[in-house]
Amino acid sequence: MMMQQYLGNITSQHALLQQNFQKIFGDSPEFIASAPGRVNLIGEHTDYNDGYVLPAAIDKYLHIAARKRTDNAVKLYALNFNEHCQFSLETLAPGNLSPQNVDATWSNYIKGIAYLLKASGRNIEGIEAIIAGDVPIGAGLSSSAALTVAAALAFLTGSDADMDRKHIAALCQRTEHEFIGVKCGIMDGVISLFGRAEHALFLDCRSLHHVHVPLNLDRHVIVICNTKVKRELAASEYNTRRAECEKGVKMLKKWRPSITALRDVPITDFKKYEEALPLLTRKRCRYIIEENTRVNSAVDALKAGSLQTFGALMKASHTGLRDDYEVSCKELNILTEIAGSVDGVIGTRMTGAGFGGCTVTLVHRNALETLQTRLKTEYLQQTGAEPEIYLCNVSDGATVHHLSR
Ligand code: GLA
């Protein structure tokens, strides 16, 4: 979820927030919490299988400019939507929110995280705040994680409270589970909080151990291309995939009782038992097990500077997502096919949950213009719609910027 409006660079975004804060609340904000969106380079749908992921934070942000209040009131204004919302921290309870995604407005994420911060024992106080950002909404670039992360940091800062960042990521995930209805994994919150400029983040989603891997892309750039397809199936199919993987684990336990997630199954073991699984379960499990291996190989390839290998792994990831995990869609496939046929493109795949959203492509900078032109014209010819292209820098994770008066 969340807003989309081009706001310029981070400094001009902050200035715009300050001006608007003054207009709405007649005062200056005390601080601005900013959380980035992310692009996942490889390791899709592996996070909720206790597996490995390799995302990078991008320089598209969700900002919350805020000042403390001395009571329990939370007064919010979402600049991109021109919408106000006000609530009291006293009356927050899961039942007061809309726990299903049908009604998941931006304020539900904020109420959810506020409730969970309070429930964790933090003495959370009221704030007044303006929210704005340029993470494309519903495009698979983690606009909702950016919102909950920024909101968590805003509440903690406004209450002079502290919390370990891994704990914050876990609460952001719980917000989605308990207040939005999406049983997502931990990746999005972690990368928004722990991202580092010019690095991808190799994350073990079971231990949360992570390593920043330098993105030595030589003369290549990352291109994100938005299908602009409305992801209607995303939430329900997402939860279905999770259930299918859990079913696979249950069945595989028959032979390997100690496993608790698909992450525990080496491909050699899987090959021994896969014939006994129903076809659908077999395909879902195979994709996850292979993708976990691919993420590890991708990290090795990056470290060794073997970009061609990295690109080949991206392509194999897309094939698995399309054919075995079945979360791609016609438009995502069209974009990857166009990109894959451009000389100078070394890897391309869908990124994020799927059923629409974006592709991520690694291209030599000499071929960047050709790639952009072909994506625009051929996608338009084939679908009748115009894609949106983002050339992002890989950025640092969430920050809180204190403003002097
Ligand atoms: C969404 C979820 C993540 C992850 C991806 C797919 O972004 O929020 O936890 O599962 O889909 O990799």
Side-chain angles (χ1 to χ4, degrees), residues 154-166:
F155 280 120
L156 290 165
T157 308
S159 313
D160 298 315
D162 213 5
M163 185 177 273
D164 172 66
R165 284 195 166 208
K166 286 185 182 168

Side-chain angles (χ1 to χ4, degrees), residues 182-301:
V182 179
K183 298 282 180 200
C184 68
I186 191 90
M187 165 171 71
D188 300 343
V190 172
I191 182 60
S192 187
L193 283 154
F194 289 92
R196 183 181 291 174
E198 289 164 43
H199 287 72
L201 186 97
F202 174 53
L203 171 69
D204 176 336
C205 298
R206 172 174 281 166
S207 65
L208 296 194
H209 174 70
H210 58 268
V211 179
H212 291 102
V213 186
L215 268 177
N216 296 324
L217 298 181
D218 195 11
R219 279 150 296 159
H220 295 82
V221 283
I222 295 172
V223 178
I224 300 169
C225 189
N226 191 348
T227 56
K228 309 273 280 293
V229 170
K230 211 162 175 279
R231 297 160 70 220
E232 266 144 8
L233 284 172
S236 62
E237 286 294 323
Y238 186 95
N239 291 346
T240 306
R241 291 299 175 284
R242 191 176 180 130
E244 287 162 352
C245 292
E246 283 162 8
K247 181 176 169 192
V249 173
K250 253 196 193 147
M251 300 185 83
L252 290 163
K253 263 178 179 290
K254 190 169 148 199
W255 301 281
R256 287 278 180 270
S258 64
I259 66 165
T260 58
L262 289 176
R263 133 76 174 279
D264 300 316
V265 186
I267 190 78
T268 41
D269 270 13
F270 181 68
K271 289 210 161 110
K272 286 186 215 154
Y273 315 124
E274 64 174 331
E275 290 301 320
L277 302 179
L279 181 62
L280 197 72
T281 317
R282 192 188 317 160
K283 286 167 72 172
R284 305 301 191 239
C285 293
R286 180 170 53 219
Y287 163 75
I288 295 294
I289 293 167
E290 289 178 350
E291 182 79 346
N292 273 327
T293 311
R294 278 191 288 267
V295 179
N296 283 284
S297 308
V299 172
D300 292 343

Side-chain angles (χ1 to χ4, degrees), residues 330-358:
K330 186 183 95 197
E331 293 81 356
L332 284 166
N333 296 337
I334 289 174
L335 286 179
T336 55
E337 276 152 30
I338 300 168
S341 70
V342 172
D343 274 349
V345 165
I346 56 175
T348 182
R349 59 185 287 277
M350 56 154 275
T351 185
F355 300 103
C358 293

